[in-house]
Amino acid sequence: MDRLSFSACVVVLQVCGWLLANEGRFRPDEASTSPTSERYSVHSSNRLKAFLTVPACSDQLDSVPDPTEAELLARTLLLSLDLEWSRREEHRPEDDGLERLLCPLLDVLRRLSTSVYLPLRKTDKSLQLTLRLLQQLGGCSETEAEKEKEKEDKVAVTLTRLLLGVVEPVHEFLLRRLSGELQELCDVDRAVLYLSLLRELVRTYSGVPSYLSNLQNNYVARLAGNCIRTLRGPSEQHSMDTIMDPIMDPIVDSIVDSIVDSIVDPIMDPIMDPIMDPIVDPIVDPIMDPIMDSIMDPIMDPIMDPIMDPIMDPIMDPIVDPIVDSIVDPIVDPIVDPIVDPIVDPIVDSIVDPIVDPIVDPIVDPIVDSIVDSIVDPIVDPIVDSIVDSIVDSIMDPIMDSIMDPITDPITFAYTESIV
């Protein structure tokens, strides 16, 4: 019982012991024809038959049944199988006994791909129960040690072998249903059921080479092709019986195919990408990139730019701007500056100067004056002084001469005569 935790195994063993002690005391099921008490295995078999019994005229547009009943029945069946195993002295349940217990379920699964008139509710219930059984088993183990331990669980080994025998019709049924038959809103949940079962089958039988080979070479390729055809255009199977069919069918088809792609792609991509990418990418990328960019950029840029710019700009600008400026400025500035500067500078000055000058001038002018004076004065002062003196002399001499000569000339003349 490696599929359960240790504590759960203890509980199962205790329940098996209680069931063995009370064997033959179970009240007959409502569908049972026996009026007396019955064994637990018979009780489980009757419950399985009742679960799979549905009216032949059940509505094909019903929603998916509640999975709770399938969950409980799966636990009941596994407990019954463990009980049969515990009853045998050699702890090896016979294959025919196990198959006999699951015969009603296996019979429905075998007829899925051939009996197109099976009630939809019957197929839903059988697939729900199969999914829950596989989930309870827990799929294949990952390590060799776990695989060795799993071999001890004969119930799990035999059950997975029996279900492997009906995988092919189950696959064919899922392929047919997922390839255009799901066209109602209630079919979206049904598609989830189908794909959950497909995922569980792949997980459980991933270690079986024949299963994987058939899945990759046949089933997945056909399923992907059908989905691509549906996504490319309207389905030819759309019903015109109601007004809403032409509206709802393409929506349901697209949802189903998108879900299918989400399951199929992870299976096929790791296999096909290493083979196809080196061949296809050099041919397709130069053609598709410009087409996709012209379609997606006008849609995505207005959405992504406001989100990404505040995140990326503080990181990228300090790195990119210096590189771009060093390349662009030497080319652009000699061309643009002579054209732009005469237009921009007066406008900027008229706006900036009235704001900046009253603040900056009182601070800058004294500093600039002191620096300029210390440099210019020793050079300019002698030149200016001589020019100013000559100008002053040329103006003042005639004036002073006209005033002073009448006074000084007689004195100077008399003094000169006395000496002579």
Side-chain angles (χ1 to χ4, degrees), residues 162-229:
L162 289 174
L163 292 177
L164 180 61
V166 297
V167 161
E168 187 64 28
V170 171
H171 274 183
E172 290 299 323
F173 173 79
L174 297 181
L175 176 63
R176 188 184 80 235
R177 295 288 290 163
L178 292 171
S179 299
E181 289 190 5
L182 304 179
Q183 297 178 354
E184 303 295 335
L185 282 178
C186 60
D187 288 335
V188 175
D189 290 336
R190 194 161 279 113
V192 174
L193 167 62
Y194 294 164
L195 293 168
S196 298
L197 177 58
L198 177 60
R199 184 189 293 110
E200 199 64 35
L201 288 171
V202 173
R203 187 175 69 86
T204 302
Y205 298 112
S206 59
V208 181
S210 60
Y211 172 83
L212 277 184
S213 176
N214 181 57
L215 186 73
Q216 295 166 3
N217 298 331
N218 185 20
Y219 181 77
V220 173
R222 291 162 61 195
L223 181 58
N226 291 337
C227 291
I228 291 172
R229 280 194 296 273

Side-chain angles (χ1 to χ4, degrees), residues 65-304:
D66 184 357
T68 304
E69 188 178 0
E71 177 76 22
L72 294 175
L73 182 56
R75 294 178 182 274
T76 299
L77 290 173
L78 289 175
L79 186 58
S80 178
L81 298 175
D82 284 333
L83 181 62
E84 289 294 323
W85 182 25
S86 300
R87 182 184 289 112
R88 301 182 187 282
E89 294 181 356
E90 295 182 1
H91 296 274
R92 290 184 303 178
E94 297 176 0
D95 291 353
D96 58 347
L98 185 58
E99 186 172 0
R100 184 168 56 252
L101 178 61
L102 297 177
C103 182
L105 174 63
L106 297 175
D107 179 60
V108 174
L109 295 178
R110 288 190 186 97
R111 294 188 292 125
L112 282 178
S113 62
T114 56
S115 299
V116 294
Y117 297 108
L118 273 176
L120 186 59
R121 194 168 187 82
K122 191 182 190 76
T123 64
D124 288 343
K125 284 190 167 186
S126 65
L127 295 178
Q128 282 181 330
L129 181 56
T130 304
L131 173 62
R132 293 306 185 273
L133 286 172
L134 290 174
Q135 289 174 338
Q136 290 294 320
L137 293 177
C140 292
S141 302
E142 296 296 331
T143 64
E144 290 299 325
E146 289 175 344
K147 288 181 179 180
E148 290 300 321
K149 289 181 180 179
E150 188 179 78
K151 291 178 182 178
E152 300 173 3
D153 190 346
K154 300 300 183 180
V155 172
V157 172
T158 306
L159 183 55
T160 52
R161 181 181 60 78
L162 289 174
L163 292 177
L164 180 61
V166 297
V167 161
E168 187 64 28
V170 171
H171 274 183
E172 290 299 323
F173 173 79
L174 297 181
L175 176 63
R176 188 184 80 235
R177 295 288 290 163
L178 292 171
S179 299
E181 289 190 5
L182 304 179
Q183 297 178 354
E184 303 295 335
L185 282 178
C186 60
D187 288 335
V188 175
D189 290 336
R190 194 161 279 113
V192 174
L193 167 62
Y194 294 164
L195 293 168
S196 298
L197 177 58
L198 177 60
R199 184 189 293 110
E200 199 64 35
L201 288 171
V202 173
R203 187 175 69 86
T204 302
Y205 298 112
S206 59
V208 181
S210 60
Y211 172 83
L212 277 184
S213 176
N214 181 57
L215 186 73
Q216 295 166 3
N217 298 331
N218 185 20
Y219 181 77
V220 173
R222 291 162 61 195
L223 181 58
N226 291 337
C227 291
I228 291 172
R229 280 194 296 273
T230 302
L231 291 173
R232 281 177 176 171
S235 174
E236 296 178 357
Q237 301 176 11
H238 289 171
S239 172
M240 297 299 292
D241 292 340
T242 66
I243 297 175
M244 292 302 294
D245 279 350
I247 300 173
M248 298 309 300
D249 287 356
I251 297 174
V252 175
D253 279 349
S254 297
I255 294 173
V256 171
D257 289 337
S258 299
I259 298 172
V260 171
D261 287 344
S262 69
I263 303 297
V264 172
D265 287 350
I267 299 173
M268 291 303 295
D269 285 350
I271 301 167
M272 298 305 296
D273 283 353
I275 301 172
M276 297 305 296
D277 284 353
I279 301 171
V280 175
D281 285 353
I283 300 172
V284 174
D285 286 351
I287 299 172
M288 292 303 298
D289 285 351
I291 297 174
M292 294 304 297
D293 288 347
S294 63
I295 296 172
M296 296 305 296
D297 285 353
I299 299 172
M300 297 305 297
D301 285 352
I303 299 172
M304 296 304 297

Side-chain angles (χ1 to χ4, degrees), residues 297-313:
D297 285 353
I299 299 172
M300 297 305 297
D301 285 352
I303 299 172
M304 296 304 297
D305 285 352
I307 299 172
M308 296 304 298
D309 285 352
I311 299 171
M312 296 305 297
D313 284 353

Side-chain angles (χ1 to χ4, degrees), residues 17 23 118 146 186 205 278 280 296 367 377 380 387 390 417:
E23 187 70 79
L118 273 176
E146 289 175 344
C186 60
Y205 298 112
V280 175
M296 296 305 296
I367 298 171
D377 283 357
V380 173
I387 294 172
S390 63
E417 285 292 325

Side-chain angles (χ1 to χ4, degrees), residues 350-369:
S350 65
I351 297 171
V352 174
D353 285 353
I355 300 171
V356 174
D357 284 355
I359 300 170
V360 174
D361 284 354
I363 300 170
V364 173
D365 284 354
I367 298 171
V368 172
D369 288 347

Side-chain angles (χ1 to χ4, degrees), residues 27-38 42-43 46-47 50:
R27 186 175 58 187
D29 191 83
E30 294 178 358
S32 175
T33 58
S34 174
T36 61
S37 300
E38 54 192 18
V42 177
H43 175 77
N46 290 335
R47 285 196 60 184

